[in-house]
Amino acid sequence: MRAARLIKMVLLLQSRPSMTAAELASELEVSERTITRDAQALSEAGVPVYADRGRAGGYRLVGGYRTRLTGLGRSEAEALFLSGVPGALREMGLEDAASAARLKVSAALMPSLSDASHAAAQRFHLDAPGWFTEPKTPELLPAVADAVWDDRRLVARYRRDDSDVERELEPYGLVLKAGVWYLCARVTAGLDSYRVYRIDRFTAVEPSAERFVRDPDFDLPGFWDERAEQFARSILRAEVVVRVSADGVRRLPYAVDPAAAREALEIAGEPDPDDGWVTVTLPVESEEVAHSQLAGLGPDVEVLAPESLRARFTNDALRLAALYRT
């Protein structure tokens, strides 16, 4: 542990002109007294750490000293490519590996480029979860992530309806969608197919000592896009017929499934010559969902069918009229 800390201290000093004891203590999560002892140990080992005294003082490396301890380990190199998603790194247990990787890259850069990582971090940040949500990190995510990184089979139990199902999986990849973690995995026992699992529905996972050989043709982004589109279409099991105003046409893709709205509008007839409204046959998940979604369009949508959904909106209109009559 101390050896790793000393190496990290050298890398920190190599990537910056000077650092105070307080700054080093904060970065390394130790006391300032420990920093003093570590600096002395490095000096005794031949690393030219120099302490500047006074209010503006601090620690620095002298004589242009540069360590060659900058080789990236595999986990550090992999984590480096995820540096733009710090929240995801924390949840998968890779934050320390990413921090070490960034330090090693910074230490290997020319002094004129030493601020490149900071400049990039100040200009790009990915915030994956949706607004007004407080996603919880699945308790089993780190164990699943380890199996994914290490290509290890795992046995997973997950909730399906009112029962638990057990599957042996080859975990191919993780996807973070709107704050929810999913595992894309190959099911081997009798099914031999790729499937998607919500990790927060896992009740237990047991990584195996056995590794699997990845299919070199498997493309995680392409697989996810295909399955996401299939899922979106699979839940649109009902249809409604509506008339929408010109403003309603513009707002419709924001109220319902965007792809379904665009396809429905493309095959819709010409606008009514009298009022410019367009009649659209729209696939929806259910009458209940359509009611809540289309209500957001207010007076820019008129439901024509089914009659039961039209009756819901008629009732809404009567209640609103009574509410605002005074």
Side-chain angles (χ1 to χ4, degrees):
M1 176 67 75
R2 190 189 184 199
R5 188 176 72 242
L6 292 174
I7 292 173
K8 189 172 183 179
M9 182 174 176
V10 173
L11 292 173
L12 282 167
L13 293 174
Q14 186 170 311
S15 63
R16 307 180 195 181
S18 176
M19 294 184 70
T20 66
E23 290 171 338
L24 285 167
S26 176
E27 288 278 358
L28 300 174
E29 298 180 347
V30 295
S31 67
E32 292 185 33
R33 181 173 296 180
T34 299
I35 294 298
T36 301
R37 289 197 296 265
D38 285 353
Q40 183 176 350
L42 286 171
S43 181
E44 292 173 354
V47 178
V49 177
Y50 181 76
D52 290 317
R53 306 298 179 185
R55 291 180 58 188
Y59 293 93
R60 60 186 175 86
L61 295 175
V62 297
Y65 178 86
R66 300 187 69 77
T67 178
R68 295 187 181 276
L69 297 172
T70 54
L72 291 176
R74 181 175 181 83
S75 64
E76 294 168 346
E78 290 168 339
L80 186 61
F81 287 101
L82 293 172
S83 292
V85 282
L89 284 169
R90 284 193 300 271
E91 293 177 10
M92 289 190 291
L94 293 172
E95 188 175 26
D96 289 343
S99 175
R102 286 192 295 268
L103 270 176
K104 290 181 177 181
V105 169
S106 297
L109 292 173
M110 296 171 58
S112 60
L113 300 177
S114 61
D115 67 337
S117 60
H118 176 74
Q122 293 302 311
R123 287 162 174 79
F124 175 76
H125 175 68
L126 176 62
D127 185 9
W131 288 104
F132 313 118
T133 59
E134 295 183 4
K136 295 182 179 179
T137 303
E139 182 180 346
L140 299 174
L141 175 61
V144 175
D146 284 345
V148 170
W149 286 118
D150 213 21
D151 291 343
R152 290 191 181 275
R153 300 178 189 271
L154 59 82
V155 176
R157 293 185 63 84
Y158 66 95
R159 294 187 302 275
R160 189 172 70 182
D161 299 327
D162 295 328
S163 62
D164 274 11
V165 178
E166 185 174 285
R167 289 281 187 268
E168 182 177 319
L169 305 175
E170 294 179 351
Y172 267 69
L174 294 168
V175 175
L176 177 60
K177 170 70 172 179
V180 180
W181 283 96
Y182 297 88
L183 172 67
C184 301
R186 184 179 181 183
V187 186
T188 55
L191 299 174
D192 194 21
S193 62
Y194 293 98
R195 300 194 175 186
V196 177
Y197 300 89
R198 276 186 63 144
I199 294 180
D200 59 6
R201 291 181 182 165
F202 284 168
T203 57
V205 294
E206 184 178 345
S208 168
E210 181 184 358
R211 287 187 168 88
F212 65 92
V213 179
R214 282 178 168 267
D215 179 354
D217 295 327
F218 180 79
D219 172 34
L220 179 60
F223 171 78
W224 175 258
D225 288 344
E226 178 184 342
R227 288 304 171 94
E229 183 177 354
Q230 289 176 0
F231 174 75
R233 291 180 179 278
S234 70
I235 64 175
L236 302 179
R237 302 186 182 94
E239 282 188 347
V240 300
V241 181
V242 298
R243 294 178 71 241
V244 287
S245 68
D247 192 45
V249 168
R250 179 184 61 80
R251 294 165 54 200
L252 189 62
Y254 301 97
V256 299
D257 180 80
R262 286 192 293 268
E263 291 180 9
L265 289 169
E266 286 175 1
I267 62 175
E270 295 295 321
D272 188 297
D274 295 328
D275 57 14
W277 285 48
V278 179
T279 300
V280 180
T281 300
L282 188 68
V284 295
E285 184 175 345
S286 66
E287 185 175 312
E288 290 281 348
V289 173
H291 178 238
S292 63
Q293 292 176 331
L294 294 173
L297 297 179
D300 288 307
V301 63
E302 177 191 2
V303 175
L304 303 180
E307 186 59 38
S308 55
L309 181 58
R310 182 177 175 87
R312 286 173 181 254
F313 278 90
T314 301
N315 184 54
D316 289 347
L318 292 172
R319 291 173 60 195
L320 281 170
L323 184 64
Y324 285 98
R325 183 171 295 137
T326 56

